Amino acid sequence: MAADPPRRFEIAPCPEPQVRGLAHELGVSEALAQVLVRRGLADPERARAFLAAEEEHSPTAFAGIEVALATIHAHARAGTRITVHGDYDVDGICSTAVLVRALRALGADVDWYLPDRASDGYGLNARTVQRLAARGTRLLLTADCGITAVEEVDLAQSLGMEVVVSDHHARRADGTLPQAPIVHPAVCGYPCPDLCATAVAYKLALGLWESEDGASAATPPASRGSTPLSAGAGHQGASRSRYDPREDLDLVALASIADVVPLLGENRALVRRGLRALAGTAKPGLRALLAVARSSAGEVNERTVAFALAPRLNAAGRMYRADAGLELVLSEDPARAQTIAAELDRANHERRHVEQRILFDAERQVAAAGERAGYVLAGEGWHPGVIGIVASRLAERHHRPFVLVALEGERGRGSGRSIAGFDLLGALDSCAGHLARHGGHEAAAGLEIERERLEGFGAAFAAHAERALSEEARVVSERVDAVVAGGELGMALAEELAALAPFGCANPAVSLLVRGARFAERRPMGEGRHVRFTVLADGARARGVAFGGGTSLPVDDGKPADATFALEVNEWGGVSEPRLVLRHAQPAQAQGEAQAPDPAGTQAEELGGVASHSATDQEELVLFA
């Protein structure tokens, strides 16, 4: 592991009486109580609710969902063509699959369309709307897109289609919404506004299943199919009595983790239940995907999704078209599923090679540009489906926001990633005069731009970042959830901390600070890509591992270090043992002011992502652009 520059340990206030009181009230260790207090869960009832992860809301909590449900049921009963228009990332694939499965169960005449990243771009466009109208679509149901497609929805309606929008993205900067029924957690005042698109689709499917109109559509027509689109195919619906939307919680968990939504509130409950469903999934496609990723279904967790399943499912839309991913998810044929999963695995390997070439080129541009608050980089021949991953790696490595643009002819497609404390979508809004089109989130966004506007956009983006990025946000900080002694780093605490899972955005893996630790007995693993070692602290010994940095460690053996770790239960060869996964370490004497907790410190940052990496697959958490 390469030596990092010293970081600021960020340790939130944690009054000892609160810690002891919470530990006593819940019957947990003081280390876990520290974590809960620092994460704003000092109240015992709130802490219990968080640990239970049972929050759930009715689909009727979406304001206006009744209109959307009635519209869908009317078309299902009438047998008119319904097209689900999704997106090319994991969330778009899974949300499309959930809605297609629900509509099949209603006996609807349903097909789908997934846009091509290169030729269609993100979301609805006028050409696709016109094609769907010509092919006979009478209800256009969006999944993971549509909330900004005001003109496209108007066009669809002018061509004789009704439209229902299901989405979770930010609305347009001017606040204008499509004039159609909308199912959107933030727009519709849903109690959990941060659902991913697949969770929105799941709630819509639940609403269709539970509603009185749905009950009257129990048995589908005997033989109804749909004429395939270039990226979709109809299917005879299954009997409603054999359909239960909760069977698709595995897809909800997969998409929620892949789309990096905050794992709090109902999201946390959905992902916890969904991971259990994924471990026992009956879907041939997901089982085949687990097999090619060399993952055991019985040991599925959030890292399996983030580093093994999501990258392979995303590879179809990044390198070619996303249709293969959707076919895999919907497939009921194990042999066909195995064939598709193997194709996705090959596409993912190809994606990695392409990614490395772009990364090397981008790093050369960073070095030539020098120190900036934010970067816009561009290249001829860069693959538009891969630049988002490269932007994510650059943002993590340099701790600055990045936008990468793949140029082709007189236009370019861009993808950006941000860091904590910087609103990327807000930055693009401020530079909108240079852009042909843009959208996304605070952390990830996409854009289209004319080549001649690129230089001006780069200057405007850097200037905005210089103004908006505070000095505090520019310094890499290391979040600390609990300060522990070496003797606490055992199996009991590892199992106790597992109750905080699933980990991810807004609920990161627990970071434990051990002061004055010493490293010893380092040994290479994974063909020299990783290193295992012994951690000595307060007279206790523990096994440690550092992933992805070769055989080096940030501090020499035997030298005192202040180090942060994730503590996990490691399963290997049928044996369970506690394992420390190194997050950061620096010489104890080099920390200065950071050595002691600051009782007046600010609340620790919630850094997104899964802290500990898989030893066999060092994938980034997948973000969409």
Side-chain angles (χ1 to χ4, degrees), residues 12-22 33-34 37-38 42 599:
C14 189
E16 190 172 328
Q18 272 191 335
V19 171
R20 289 182 175 175
L22 189 62
Q34 281 189 64
V37 170
R38 286 196 170 93

Side-chain angles (χ1 to χ4, degrees), residues 142-173:
T142 73
D144 199 23
C145 63
I147 198 64
T148 62
V150 175
E151 292 79 13
E152 291 80 3
V153 169
D154 288 345
L155 174 62
Q157 292 167 338
S158 73
L159 294 173
M161 286 187 278
E162 287 195 272
V163 181
V164 171
V165 172
S166 77
D167 198 0
H168 73 129
H169 291 98
R171 66 175 73 190
R172 292 188 351 179

Side-chain angles (χ1 to χ4, degrees), residues 52 183 245 411 441 499 578:
V183 184
R411 292 180 69 87
H441 303 293

